[in-house]
Amino acid sequence: MANESRPCPCDIGDRFDYEGCGQEVQVEHIKAYVCKPAASTDKAVIVIHDIFGWQLPNTRYMADMLVANGYIAICPDFFAGREAWKPSNDWSKFDDWLKTRDARKINKEAVAVLKYLKEQCGAKKLGVVGFCWGGIVVRHLMMTYAEFKAGVSLYGLIKDSDDISSLLNPTFFIFAEKDDFIPLHQVNLLEQKLKKNCKVDYEVKIYLGQTHGFVHRRREDINPQDKPYIEEGRKDMISWLNKYM
């Protein structure tokens, strides 16, 4: 980490050495990574990147994992051409950088990707998963677009003031017990609000002993003690999509 005094909400963790099985395409004003299964399908999942952007190999690895489970997967550049964060950047400028990448102001990109999936890929059943910054985007999309039949938000940062009770379709929330950036009291408050007001299926799950980014930024082969939780998180993500899509 470049500056310990300003930790970032997303430590890059283990950067996967992974090239991906898909291809990069142009979707209106943005670029995207797309991968399709060998067998024809009308199910597609949008995979939303973290602060390190759409080209991070880890996120493409997650997309290809979904493809291996029978889904079309697309990982668009929701920063719309603006630079992703780099671990070597000056962390003291992170807050200013983040202000120009509002996770709730991505409707133009979302509409373009939905159109592409429907018209170019023949998708009829749509889901969305997102990691960290992308986890916040998932919450926004699941409250905005009824087309998404299932959503999985992985360790998206939350504030005490956040209320996401107006979810339109089933949403699964993955959190880590030892996440330095998402205190458990915030997770509990989120769950209380959902329990009180949410009208659709949801689940909030906390993975014991895990830290921020564990599902997509930790390699199970070099973190054997965490392997069961990494695998469980990935399996749970896919099971949720399978159930509701």
Side-chain angles (χ1 to χ4, degrees), residues 115-244:
K115 183 181 178 186
Y116 175 87
L117 288 172
K118 292 173 186 175
E119 295 182 0
Q120 302 297 321
C121 303
K124 294 186 174 72
K125 299 167 186 171
L126 299 157
V128 59
V129 305
F131 305 91
C132 188
W133 184 87
I136 305 171
V137 177
V138 168
R139 300 198 304 253
H140 169 74
L141 292 177
M142 292 306 292
M143 291 190 291
T144 308
Y145 297 98
E147 290 108 309
F148 292 111
K149 298 307 177 190
V152 183
S153 172
L154 295 94
Y155 27 81
L157 298 190
I158 45 180
K159 301 173 186 170
D160 289 351
S161 59
D162 283 350
D163 190 353
I164 55 167
S165 302
S166 58
L167 295 168
L168 300 174
N169 278 307
T171 307
F172 181 42
F173 301 90
I174 287 178
F175 292 105
E177 181 192 25
K178 299 193 174 185
D179 192 321
D180 290 337
F181 309 100
I182 306 176
L184 288 181
H185 82 83
Q186 289 184 333
V187 178
N188 293 331
L189 186 61
L190 184 82
E191 192 165 16
Q192 287 169 20
K193 291 177 182 177
L194 287 167
K195 196 175 290 185
K196 185 177 179 182
N197 300 314
C198 190
K199 302 289 194 292
V200 300
D201 286 354
Y202 69 87
E203 184 178 345
V204 176
K205 185 169 180 177
I206 299 168
Y207 294 74
L208 298 180
Q210 296 308 292
T211 56
H212 193 81
F214 75 100
V215 172
H216 82 300
R217 278 206 249 100
R218 187 168 298 150
R219 282 176 50 181
E220 59 270 38
D221 58 336
I222 56 177
N223 299 278
Q225 73 282 5
D226 298 314
K227 183 177 179 179
Y229 300 100
I230 298 168
E231 291 181 343
E232 183 182 358
R234 294 172 182 177
K235 181 182 175 184
D236 288 347
M237 174 181 73
I238 291 163
S239 294
W240 188 266
L241 297 172
N242 290 345
K243 182 177 180 180
Y244 292 102

Side-chain angles (χ1 to χ4, degrees), residues 79-126:
F79 290 161
R82 290 165 295 178
E83 276 195 40
W85 186 258
K86 297 184 183 69
S88 59
N89 285 4
D90 180 355
W91 292 108
S92 68
K93 296 178 180 175
F94 178 74
D95 286 344
D96 289 336
W97 175 90
L98 193 59
K99 285 174 187 172
T100 64
R101 289 153 181 83
D102 190 332
R104 295 165 186 84
K105 293 182 178 176
I106 44 71
N107 289 9
K108 182 180 179 183
E109 289 71 40
V111 168
V113 175
L114 284 169
K115 183 181 178 186
Y116 175 87
L117 288 172
K118 292 173 186 175
E119 295 182 0
Q120 302 297 321
C121 303
K124 294 186 174 72
K125 299 167 186 171
L126 299 157

